[in-house]
Amino acid sequence: VSSNEESIDNLDKQLCESKVTLGDSESKFEDISRKLATLEADAARGNERAEGAEKKIYELEEELKVVGQSLQTLEVGEEKTIQREEKSQEVIMELAYKLKRSEYRGEQAEMNIQRLNVRIDQVEEDLLAEKYKIKRISDELNQTFDDMINMAA
């Protein structure tokens, strides 16, 4: 009888420990889920910024085309043409600068997206590991219950 009581006490202790471990795992799972949601939101913002940069690049390319066409159609006096040409060159330089800045921002956004994707993958791996821990603990708990039932029978 004493041996059975010790076994029951041990099983009760194991059950309590399993419950604590399960609670810890669930807490970690919730933390990881929150972090994943934050990272997904950051990734969405990064995607939006990259799309905005691509749109701006397209608009700048269209502006460059318009400036080029304007330069071709200018056939007014040589002095006015030179002045207009100088102004157009400044616009082109500014647009090229804006284009380079936009491309840089697009590259930065893509790098951020890549970093976020790596982080999302890490979080997903952590989440999967936690799920496996919970499954293992659940299986151990079920085995403990089965052992207790078999001992009682």
Side-chain angles (χ1 to χ4, degrees):
V1 174
S2 172
S3 174
N4 284 342
E5 289 175 0
E6 286 178 23
S7 294
I8 290 173
D9 287 343
N10 285 337
L11 289 173
D12 282 342
K13 287 179 185 177
Q14 286 178 357
L15 178 60
C16 288
E17 291 172 3
S18 294
K19 286 180 181 179
V20 168
T21 304
L22 178 61
D24 290 346
S25 293
E26 287 174 346
S27 175
K28 287 179 184 178
F29 173 77
E30 290 171 6
D31 289 344
I32 290 171
S33 293
R34 281 192 297 275
K35 288 177 185 177
L36 177 61
T38 301
L39 290 173
E40 287 173 342
D42 290 346
R45 284 193 298 272
N47 284 334
E48 289 173 5
R49 280 189 240 127
E51 290 172 5
E54 289 173 354
K55 182 179 178 184
K56 194 163 199 159
I57 289 169
Y58 176 76
E59 291 171 355
L60 290 173
E61 288 174 345
E62 291 301 314
E63 277 187 46
L64 283 172
K65 288 178 187 176
V66 170
V67 169
Q69 291 171 354
S70 296
L71 283 174
Q72 292 174 358
T73 59
L74 292 176
E75 292 179 358
V76 184
E78 186 176 337
E79 191 174 302
K80 289 184 179 181
T81 302
I82 290 172
Q83 291 174 352
R84 288 182 187 166
E85 191 172 284
E86 288 173 356
K87 289 179 184 178
S88 295
Q89 289 298 328
E90 289 175 9
V91 169
I92 289 172
M93 296 285 276
E94 184 178 321
L95 291 174
Y97 174 72
K98 288 180 181 178
L99 176 63
K100 286 181 182 180
R101 275 192 346 205
S102 295
E103 289 173 343
Y104 175 75
R105 286 189 301 223
E107 290 170 3
Q108 292 299 316
E110 288 175 3
M111 287 173 29
N112 283 336
I113 290 169
Q114 290 173 354
R115 280 189 290 238
L116 290 172
N117 283 336
V118 167
R119 183 65 184 130
I120 287 170
D121 290 343
Q122 290 171 345
V123 168
E124 288 175 346
E125 289 174 11
D126 291 345
L127 180 61
L128 187 59
E130 288 301 320
K131 284 183 178 180
Y132 284 129
K133 283 182 185 177
I134 290 170
K135 173 71 172 122
R136 183 179 45 78
I137 290 168
S138 176
D139 290 343
E140 288 175 6
L141 191 56
N142 286 336
Q143 183 61 45
T144 300
F145 286 134
D146 289 343
D147 291 344
M148 287 173 60
I149 289 170
N150 288 336
M151 290 179 96

